[in-house]
Amino acid sequence: MEDVFAGYRRRHDYLICMDSDGCAMNTMEIKHRKSLAPCMVYEWDLGEYRDAIMRRWREISLYSMDRGINRFEALAKILVDVNENYKRVEDLDSLLNWVKTSKELSTDSLRREVERTGSPALKKALEWSELVNGSLKMISEKNKKPFEGVREALEAAEQFADIVIVTAASRTEIVEEWGYYDLLKHVGLVLTQETGSKEYCIGKLLEYGYQKDHAMMVGDSPIDQRAAKAEEVFFYPIMVWKEKESWEEFRNHALDKFREGTFAGEYQAEVEKEFVQNLTR
Ligand SMILES: [Mg+2]
């Protein structure tokens, strides 16, 4: 595979890793509502429970501590729910087992597993995932906008920090979405699901000589937070329903604190507390 890090240079002492879906770009709601959830209803023929399932999907994938989980993990959780409450799901254990044990939860690795096992549930999950990929392409870039204040935040941040996109979305999605709004020029590198986990990406970037207390992950999900903790860099949360305010705070206060060395301790704890409260209320 092509080495995405080839040619990358550290330009500043500070590093800001930035998630995309639900953080910089207002894409989560529409992707789940128009693609992931309805494709599941279609694939498992759940039309008569459509409303309840759509609601459950949104709760899990958007408005809980599971926000931002991998699509196959979300699928497994909801199919367990369906199996218990609505309709028997054939061969469910095969899917649960794959989700629990596979090192890579992607469409490609699922395809290999289907070829190896021929499991009906895995086959359906694969069809669903391909349907999702196809239908995501049909959502116009016009409906996948950056949140208000993101452009200004990027402009302020790039004055003293290198900005790198660190996301679990696919490279194609990111390049199209950020390219459409002419935001790629603020970014030194695009690291996606094809590069590896967020933790891995942050770790690789630190090898370029950024000190840990000069590095930060900006994200909207507990997964971003965990990746930041694992690599011992700061975490700045973009809060669901309060994205505009989060970006304002980032530009007006968080960036200065980061630069001046006062982000650690009280401020870090405060924004994290608010973040968790916002997702669990
Ligand atoms: Mg996100």
Side-chain angles (χ1 to χ4, degrees), residues 65 225 229 235-237 239 242 265-281:
M65 287 299 279
Q225 185 184 26
K229 295 288 138 189
F235 174 62
Y236 181 82
M239 291 188 283
K242 300 178 185 164
E266 207 181 321
Y267 185 72
Q268 173 68 90
E270 182 57 34
V271 292
E272 282 185 292
K273 192 175 136 204
E274 276 180 46
F275 170 65
V276 172
Q277 278 172 353
N278 193 52
L279 276 180
T280 51
R281 61 188 178 165

Side-chain angles (χ1 to χ4, degrees), residues 109-146:
S109 74
L110 178 56
R111 191 174 299 115
R112 291 193 292 274
E113 192 67 5
V114 168
E115 279 163 15
R116 203 178 64 82
T117 64
S119 141
L122 291 182
K123 217 180 261 178
K124 274 184 115 46
L126 177 61
E127 280 170 21
W128 166 78
S129 191
E130 287 170 340
L131 200 58
V132 166
N133 289 344
S135 60
L136 283 178
K137 285 193 198 129
M138 296 194 300
I139 304 173
S140 157
E141 306 306 333
K142 286 194 198 94
N143 293 321
K144 294 183 273 190
K145 290 193 180 101

Side-chain angles (χ1 to χ4, degrees), residues 19-25 28 67-68 167-168 198 218-221 224:
D19 174 55
S20 184
D21 279 2
C23 173
M25 307 297 282
M28 292 273 283
R67 179 177 172 88
T167 171
K198 292 182 181 183
V218 182
D220 64 293
S221 89
D224 302 315

Side-chain angles (χ1 to χ4, degrees), residues 149-199:
V150 167
R151 191 182 303 275
E152 295 78 3
L154 289 169
E155 284 165 1
E158 71 184 343
Q159 301 304 317
F160 70 97
D162 294 332
I163 302 169
V164 174
I165 300 176
V166 175
T167 171
S170 73
R171 189 169 186 86
T172 322
E173 284 172 75
I174 296 302
V175 169
E176 279 175 16
E177 291 165 13
W178 285 61
Y180 185 84
Y181 291 98
D182 196 25
L183 294 173
L184 283 174
K185 64 184 177 194
H186 303 296
V187 165
L189 198 58
V190 177
L191 303 179
T192 54
Q193 61 177 219
E194 293 86 356
T195 319
S197 71
K198 292 182 181 183
E199 258 170 69

Side-chain angles (χ1 to χ4, degrees), residues 7-267:
Y8 179 72
R9 301 247 178 294
R10 181 168 67 82
R11 294 176 53 239
H12 294 285
D13 289 341
Y14 291 83
L15 170 70
I16 297 178
C17 301
M18 201 173 279
D19 174 55
S20 184
D21 279 2
C23 173
M25 307 297 282
N26 190 358
T27 49
M28 292 273 283
E29 174 79 31
I30 195 159
K31 285 182 182 180
H32 286 281
R33 185 161 47 83
K34 296 264 188 198
S35 172
L36 287 110
C39 288
M40 178 198 165
V41 169
Y42 172 80
E43 185 63 43
W44 275 269
D45 194 17
L46 298 165
E48 55 185 307
Y49 317 108
R50 187 186 165 91
D51 289 351
I53 289 167
M54 294 284 285
R55 205 176 316 121
R56 188 79 186 110
W57 186 283
R58 283 156 48 94
E59 270 167 23
I60 288 186
S61 294
L62 299 174
Y63 309 123
S64 76
M65 287 299 279
D66 281 330
R67 179 177 172 88
I69 58 172
N70 174 282
R71 67 166 72 164
F72 296 105
E73 290 175 298
L75 177 69
K77 270 192 183 236
I78 296 168
L79 283 178
V80 166
D81 223 56
V82 167
N83 191 55
E84 276 169 17
N85 300 309
Y86 303 106
K87 186 175 168 180
R88 202 182 81 83
V89 176
E90 191 199 354
D91 188 31
L92 178 59
D93 284 344
S94 302
L95 179 65
L96 299 184
N97 189 49
W98 178 73
V99 166
K100 217 164 116 188
T101 56
S102 173
K103 282 197 197 77
E104 184 189 329
L105 294 177
S106 73
T107 310
D108 286 346
S109 74
L110 178 56
R111 191 174 299 115
R112 291 193 292 274
E113 192 67 5
V114 168
E115 279 163 15
R116 203 178 64 82
T117 64
S119 141
L122 291 182
K123 217 180 261 178
K124 274 184 115 46
L126 177 61
E127 280 170 21
W128 166 78
S129 191
E130 287 170 340
L131 200 58
V132 166
N133 289 344
S135 60
L136 283 178
K137 285 193 198 129
M138 296 194 300
I139 304 173
S140 157
E141 306 306 333
K142 286 194 198 94
N143 293 321
K144 294 183 273 190
K145 290 193 180 101
F147 286 110
E148 210 177 321
V150 167
R151 191 182 303 275
E152 295 78 3
L154 289 169
E155 284 165 1
E158 71 184 343
Q159 301 304 317
F160 70 97
D162 294 332
I163 302 169
V164 174
I165 300 176
V166 175
T167 171
S170 73
R171 189 169 186 86
T172 322
E173 284 172 75
I174 296 302
V175 169
E176 279 175 16
E177 291 165 13
W178 285 61
Y180 185 84
Y181 291 98
D182 196 25
L183 294 173
L184 283 174
K185 64 184 177 194
H186 303 296
V187 165
L189 198 58
V190 177
L191 303 179
T192 54
Q193 61 177 219
E194 293 86 356
T195 319
S197 71
K198 292 182 181 183
E199 258 170 69
Y200 170 81
C201 293
I202 298 171
K204 283 292 277 184
L205 288 165
L206 290 174
E207 290 174 15
Y208 285 82
Y210 305 100
Q211 291 169 29
K212 285 177 184 244
D213 63 355
H214 282 35
M216 162 193 290
M217 174 80 205
V218 182
D220 64 293
S221 89
I223 291 158
D224 302 315
Q225 185 184 26
R226 283 198 290 275
K229 295 288 138 189
E231 293 303 318
E232 300 171 314
V233 303
F234 294 126
F235 174 62
Y236 181 82
I238 300 300
M239 291 188 283
V240 63
W241 293 303
K242 300 178 185 164
E243 292 88 354
K244 183 181 162 213
E245 292 81 356
S246 300
W247 281 110
E248 253 170 36
E249 169 71 18
F250 179 78
R251 186 158 56 99
N252 295 335
H253 302 287
L255 274 182
D256 285 343
K257 290 182 183 293
F258 181 44
R259 192 178 197 172
E260 290 160 6
T262 53
F263 195 97
E266 207 181 321
Y267 185 72

